[in-house]
């Protein structure tokens, strides 16, 4: 249909995470969990401009609330990546808790990857570097999944696309 936007491949974002910290909440119906982001990468898809091949620096966090029915998680993640200059990224999103995702959060997941299709995000960027400033005015969406390997930290991988004129 004419007028609907399309998605252009933009990035693959891989975030290394530690187990969640259960913070709780005295005023909300669901408890806050803070998931430390301990590393990762942001890498442009072939042909995407501006090209980025960045590493996460320092630490970030994903602040997660479960819906009262326990079927969905609400994400709000913040991190900094370094590619020549620092680039702040934030993503918000929703994870449908299927059995595979629930096992990841319970710490009982088997080796392998959860399927794509249960985690969707909206990415925003901020930077002081004029070469990457246009990222601040674009709309990016992604879908994610978890990668589990015994003895290694959990990875959340997002394929991220730019919303473009259809």
């Amino acid at each position: 249909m004419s007028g609907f936007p399309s998605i252009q491949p933009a990035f693959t974002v891989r975030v290394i995470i530690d187990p969640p910290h259960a913070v709780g909440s005295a005023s909300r119906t669901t408890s806050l969990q803070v998931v430390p982001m301990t590393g990762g990468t942001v890498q442009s898809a072939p042909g995407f401009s501006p090209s980025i091949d960045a590493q996460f620096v320092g630490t970030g966090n994903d602040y997660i609330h479960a819906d009262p029915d326990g079927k969905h998680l609400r994400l709000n993640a913040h991190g900094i990546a370094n590619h020549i200059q620092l680039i702040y990224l934030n993503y918000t999103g929703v994870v449908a808790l299927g059995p595979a995702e629930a096992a990841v959060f319970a710490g009982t997941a088997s080796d392998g990857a959860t399927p794509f299709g249960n985690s969707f995000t909206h990415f925003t960027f901020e930077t002081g570097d004029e070469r990457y400033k246009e990222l601040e005015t674009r709309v990016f969406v992604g879908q994610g999944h978890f990668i589990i390997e015994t003895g290694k930290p959990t990875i959340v991988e997002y394929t991220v696309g730019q919303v473009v004129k259809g």
Side-chain angles (χ1 to χ4, degrees):
M1 286 184 146
S2 177
F4 281 94
S6 299
I7 306 294
Q8 170 191 353
F11 308 104
T12 297
V13 177
R14 293 173 61 99
V15 182
I16 300 167
I17 60 172
D18 276 350
H21 299 289
V23 174
S25 179
S27 61
R28 289 182 171 225
T29 58
T30 61
S31 294
L32 172 66
Q33 290 191 54
V34 178
V35 177
M37 299 163 52
T38 61
T41 59
V42 179
Q43 189 151 35
S44 292
F48 183 79
S49 181
S51 180
I52 295 177
D53 185 5
Q55 301 285 321
F56 279 88
V57 296
T59 59
N61 290 307
D62 193 348
Y63 303 92
I64 299 174
H65 282 97
D67 283 356
D69 65 7
K71 294 180 181 178
H72 294 88
L73 301 176
R74 305 293 168 161
L75 310 176
N76 187 0
H78 304 265
I80 299 172
N82 188 4
H83 174 80
I84 304 169
Q85 293 291 322
L86 296 179
I87 301 170
Y88 165 78
L89 62 93
N90 168 248
Y91 60 86
T92 58
V94 178
V95 176
L97 277 178
E101 294 79 18
V104 170
F105 281 93
T108 60
S110 301
D111 281 4
T114 61
F116 279 111
N118 284 344
S119 176
F120 292 95
T121 55
H122 168 242
F123 280 78
T124 59
F125 297 89
E126 190 169 335
T127 181
D129 189 321
E130 288 298 322
R131 293 172 287 190
Y132 304 103
K133 200 75 170 163
E134 63 191 88
L135 296 175
E136 294 183 8
T137 62
R138 298 180 185 178
V139 176
F140 296 95
V141 294
Q143 67 174 344
H145 70 151
F146 296 94
I147 300 171
I148 306 296
E149 191 173 340
T150 301
K152 294 188 176 182
T154 299
I155 295 173
V156 184
E157 180 180 64
Y158 294 100
T159 55
V160 180
Q162 178 185 338
V163 178
V164 296
K165 180 180 176 181

